[in-house]
């Protein structure tokens, strides 16, 4: 007899389309620094050097991460015509829509990961 799990219904939605979407999300947020950049930018708009100091990340790693997140519509980059040029980064609406997923991940972690 199969074990019945309380509160869990079989989910036929875990098909190829679902898994393809999940794979796409993990590709957008892949990389060691992506979630840490998200965390910092949730506080507010930051300049490159502010992010670099806050994270303790190399220039190349941060540049690559920000470029990847910008290409995927997660981070907005704004260059201001000053001398030297001022570049500021902020989260897009698309990134803020991911908050629901982050909160679900937080809840899962609180329940299932050792503190």
């Amino acid at each position: 007899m199969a074990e019945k799990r309380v509160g869990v219904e079989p989910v036929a939605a875990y098909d190829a389309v679902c898994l393809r979407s999940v794979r796409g999300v993990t590709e957008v947020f892949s990389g060691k620094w992506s979630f840490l950049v998200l965390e910092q930018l949730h506080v507010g708009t930051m300049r490159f050097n502010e992010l670099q100091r806050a994270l303790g990340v190399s220039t190349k790693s941060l540049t690559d991460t920000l470029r990847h997140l910008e290409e995927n519509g997660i981070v907005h980059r704004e260059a201001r015509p000053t001398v030297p040029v001022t570049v500021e980064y902020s989260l897009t609406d698309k990134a803020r829509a991911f908050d629901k997923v982050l909160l679900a991940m937080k809840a899962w972690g609180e329940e299932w990961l050792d503190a």
Side-chain angles (χ1 to χ4, degrees):
M1 182 170 170
E3 176 184 336
K4 182 175 180 175
R5 297 187 298 177
V6 177
V8 178
E9 296 180 28
V11 181
Y14 290 163
D15 58 11
V17 174
C18 176
L19 296 176
R20 193 174 320 123
S21 294
V22 171
R23 188 178 326 115
V25 170
T26 59
E27 288 173 8
V28 168
F29 293 101
S30 66
K32 177 179 179 179
W33 299 102
S34 293
F35 281 104
L36 298 172
V37 167
L38 281 178
E39 177 186 35
Q40 290 298 313
L41 292 179
H42 262 89
V43 174
T45 300
M46 295 180 79
R47 294 181 180 176
F48 185 91
N49 286 334
E50 292 173 323
L51 278 167
Q52 190 173 24
R53 278 192 300 274
L55 297 172
V57 61
S58 72
T59 300
K60 182 185 181 336
S61 292
L62 183 55
T63 299
D64 291 346
T65 299
L66 289 168
R67 187 173 293 132
H68 176 77
L69 292 173
E70 182 184 9
E71 288 169 356
N72 284 281
I74 303 300
V75 168
H76 173 71
R77 179 184 186 272
E78 185 169 344
R80 300 191 187 277
T82 58
V83 179
V85 174
T86 302
V87 179
E88 295 180 327
Y89 295 91
S90 59
L91 294 179
T92 63
D93 290 340
K94 182 177 180 179
R96 296 212 178 266
F98 194 68
D99 285 352
K100 292 178 253 181
V101 177
L102 291 173
L103 290 172
M105 291 170 68
K106 175 184 179 252
W108 184 90
E110 288 172 346
E111 182 174 348
W112 294 102
L113 299 177
D114 293 332

